[in-house]
Amino acid sequence: MMSRSSWGSAAVPFCGVRDPAALVAPLPLEAVFTHAERMRSGRGRTVQHWAGRLAAKYAVVRLLGEDEDPSAGRLCEVEILPRPSAICDRTAACLHGHPPGVRLHGVLRDRVRPGTRVGVSISHDAGVALAVALVSASLPEDEDEGNG
């Protein structure tokens, strides 16, 4: 289980990358991104959005002390999707820039102490996507999701 002071970070370069598959090659997109992530990112999103989501996955995997090797199969256990806010009545499909939320699957779900959640922040600049993942106290809206 993770301590409350844990954090992880990652950077994914995307300058010159034209296809999201090139970000994860030689793995297929399906081995890294969940179906929901592929649907969300596939709707006209740029490569920088794919790179940001990938950086967030790496940051969470590092936070949880897992092997960073994408062939280890843990990246698909981290799902990064927009998290609707309490002031927006729209769903996760809303295109108004909700902050990213983290949903953990498989063995990674059990790596987070009860009463805590994993949060991420993603930024893009100069052909590099950056992400930081932190463990914090759970929020009331986390109960609706079943995990952090």
Side-chain angles (χ1 to χ4, degrees):
M1 296 261 178
M2 299 305 305
S3 69
R4 291 185 185 264
S5 62
S6 296
W7 63 278
S9 65
V12 172
F14 62 87
C15 187
V17 177
R18 296 181 187 263
D19 182 319
L23 289 171
V24 298
L27 298 173
L29 284 176
E30 298 81 19
V32 177
F33 296 102
T34 66
H35 176 73
E37 290 171 319
R38 293 190 314 274
M39 294 297 294
R40 175 71 182 177
S41 290
R43 293 186 190 153
R45 299 290 187 203
T46 63
V47 172
Q48 81 176 16
H49 286 92
W50 289 88
R53 188 162 281 149
L54 182 59
K57 288 172 164 280
Y58 276 123
V60 171
V61 166
R62 288 178 180 163
L63 166 74
L64 299 177
E66 277 293 317
D67 186 352
E68 295 175 28
D69 179 7
S71 63
R74 297 288 182 233
L75 290 175
C76 206
E77 292 183 12
V78 178
E79 189 172 62
I80 308 293
L81 291 171
R83 180 188 194 113
S85 68
I87 61 172
C88 181
D89 61 357
R90 297 183 176 153
T91 67
C94 179
L95 297 176
H96 294 290
H98 292 288
V102 177
R103 184 171 289 256
L104 300 173
H105 303 282
V107 299
L108 294 185
R109 186 176 186 164
D110 297 329
R111 298 280 171 92
V112 179
R113 184 176 290 144
T116 63
R117 66 188 292 260
V118 174
V120 295
S121 179
I122 303 170
S123 184
H124 315 87
D125 188 31
V128 176
L130 306 167
V132 176
L134 300 168
V135 173
S136 66
S138 291
L139 300 173
E141 57 267 27
D142 293 332
E143 293 176 22
D144 295 335
E145 295 183 13
N147 64 40

